[in-house]
Amino acid sequence: MVLSRGGLRLCKGPPAPKGGISWETIGFGLRKDSQMARAVWADGRWGEVEVTPYGPLPMEPGATALNYGQSLFEGMKATRTSKGRVALFRPGKNAQRMQAGGRRFLMPALPSSLFLDTVRHCVVANGELIPPHGKGSLYLRPLYFGSGAGLGVAPSTEYTFVTFGSPVGGYFTPGSGRGARMKLELSHQRAAPKGVGYVKAAGNYAPC
């Protein structure tokens, strides 16, 4: 993976798109026959990145992500270019936003190098699931959350950073004439002054 002009990160020589998939009709949804990349923070340091098949993550009921909402996420896309490469748009900016969220939620520093390396592992492991040029992208979902168990209100003793991916088409079906339905909400606000609306916290999206 190299850094090119315009802030795109490129992966040279990806495998051809997987056969047997109707890329024109994949839509926007979760496909589970993929790989995910994960790193765990424990005992004051980050472990190595591991690539495993997509599946359940071990978590106790006392995890701070479940009890106190100590959870962040990002959304990114890896797209196959007309030259046969794979490009991600400004992934360093996603890393910076997740770092800002970590500081706000008193989570250990997530180095940009670890963020980018985990994303890279996920893209490489799912190379066959990147749609052909012009027919979609590999949607990437980095997650950073408190996975350690505890009862009192305190930072977690363990944290998990995981990135999984799923091939997607357009959010709306081409030619359907369907757009986004909008609602003007007056009874509450998601981004309250001095709150956490400026970070991509999982709980910010719960009312949507």
Side-chain angles (χ1 to χ4, degrees), residues 131-192:
H133 172 64
K135 296 185 178 180
S137 57
L138 179 69
Y139 184 85
L140 301 168
R141 174 55 60 83
L143 297 169
Y144 182 25
F145 58 91
S147 50
L151 190 59
V153 180
S156 183
T157 56
E158 178 188 286
Y159 293 86
T160 296
F161 176 58
V162 60
T163 300
F164 67 91
S166 180
V168 297
Y171 202 81
F172 300 105
T173 304
S176 66
R178 293 169 53 198
R181 298 182 62 184
M182 300 291 181
K183 175 185 177 182
L184 181 61
E185 180 59 64
L186 301 176
S187 61
H188 75 274
Q189 57 183 10
R190 190 175 80 180

Side-chain angles (χ1 to χ4, degrees), residues 17-23 31:
K18 187 176 182 179
I21 298 177
S22 179
W23 296 110
R31 188 183 179 99

Side-chain angles (χ1 to χ4, degrees), residues 39-61:
V40 175
W41 183 96
D43 300 322
R45 64 183 183 87
W46 284 100
E48 297 295 323
V49 178
E50 297 181 353
V51 176
T52 59
Y54 175 91
L57 295 171
M59 185 181 299
E60 296 185 33

